[in-house]
Amino acid sequence: MAPKNAFYAQSGGVSAVINASACGVLQTAREHSHEIGKVYAGRNGIIGALTEDLIDTSLESEAVIDALKHTPGAAFGSCRYKLAAIHEHRGQYERLIEVFRAHDIGFFFYNGGGDSQDTAHKVSQMGVRLGYPIVCIGIPKTVDNDLPITDCSPGFGSMAKYVATSLREAAFDVASMCRTSTKVFVLEVMGRHAGWTTAACALAADDENSAPHILLLPEVAFNEGRFLAKVEKTLERYGHCVIAVSEGLKGPDGKFISASGLQDAFGHARLGGVGPLISDMIHAKFGCKCRWAVPDYFQRSARHIAAETDLQQAYAVGRAAVEFAIAGKNAVMPAIRRLNDAPYRWDIIEAPLSEVANQEKLMPPDFISADGFGITEAARRYLAPLIVGEAYPPYKNALPHYVQLQNVAAPKKLTKEFAV
Ligand code: F6P
């Protein structure tokens, strides 16, 4: 009997290394062609399954698949799309089954963060409740590093390396200019509720006198008075002040300081704009020249400065996902387990999808310094190994050379359309 085919898709905000996980899945599935038939990739995540827009990855060459390891973004397109609960929208699941049955799909691999693991979890429940046997494996990814159980989330280490590097470089600039020009530099980084990326900015500092001088973490309620007093002291001492602020900074009322009032499809507040706000606040108080920057998509797509450790982990979880499926595991996600800090050693264990779906791991209190404006040694020990190693992409004409897949759609077998 021919082996069942597989569905693989990428979901949520992308990263510099999510395609390395795709590479891990595709290469491992190809090595096990007796157990897994074709791998169809969903164009734009689960939307590709619902609309029967399946990419036939068997048409891509070995070389192109291998080049995914050094290509940022999501090679098959991503999505922010939340499946309703089965009892709320049974038709959605009946459609998935129809598409999976038509293409003989028996394996479901879903690569994303907490919301995406919810999709994987729901599809595994569908398999049981609606009687369609399917092996569901989640694959971790999120630059926000907020997935539970796993030591870190692939994508984060490279983001951390980018922000720490950029901040270290910008700090040299501010220190040079502060006598007669810019005295304050504010970097706004991603992370929504979890301060991991803001914390990673602290890796830019070699010692307690180096920048960044202040971190504004989403786990610590913002107090304007205390903050401005800290800025004043820093300016007196160093003549300049470098600050990293999380896009998810909250006021004492627990509300985001920079919520736009809009939400994404996962129901999260759209954030952005806290950097300029903090910068204006300092200018209004001290009258000094302040600059701010929002690296925005630069920080999560910066493949040119990816961390080798992160790349290895992203690839390993993709590979492990297929190995788990072949070994008969179901409704689980490969998670990274830390065995040692220095040298960093890790292996892969399984985490139940039910325990990772919709969860957010915040910075623990013992990672946050007593004044709330920095991180502790424990946090540094945790973060330091995750940015280790350089994994430069190949260069062509002096620029990184990235790959574009053909992304040829498999012929549709159903006549009915499905609106998403
Ligand atoms: O991937 C998570 C994240 O990086 C958040 O920190 C951020 O708020 C969000 O993605 C925004 O992504 P997009 O605007 O692409 O939906």
Side-chain angles (χ1 to χ4, degrees), residues 13 80 142-144 190-192 247 297 300:
R80 290 197 188 276
T142 168
V143 292
D144 292 346
M190 285 182 171
R192 213 179 280 140
E247 63 176 358
Y297 277 8
R300 70 178 197 201

Side-chain angles (χ1 to χ4, degrees), residues 137-140 147-154 313 316-317 320-321 324 332-338 346-352 356:
I137 311 284
I139 304 172
L147 277 168
I149 304 178
T150 186
D151 180 56
C152 59
S153 307
Q313 291 180 330
V317 293
F324 278 11
V332 293
M333 178 192 89
I336 296 154
R337 176 172 61 173
R338 181 178 297 229
W346 52 276
D347 65 1
I348 291 192
I349 54 169
E350 58 189 82
V356 288

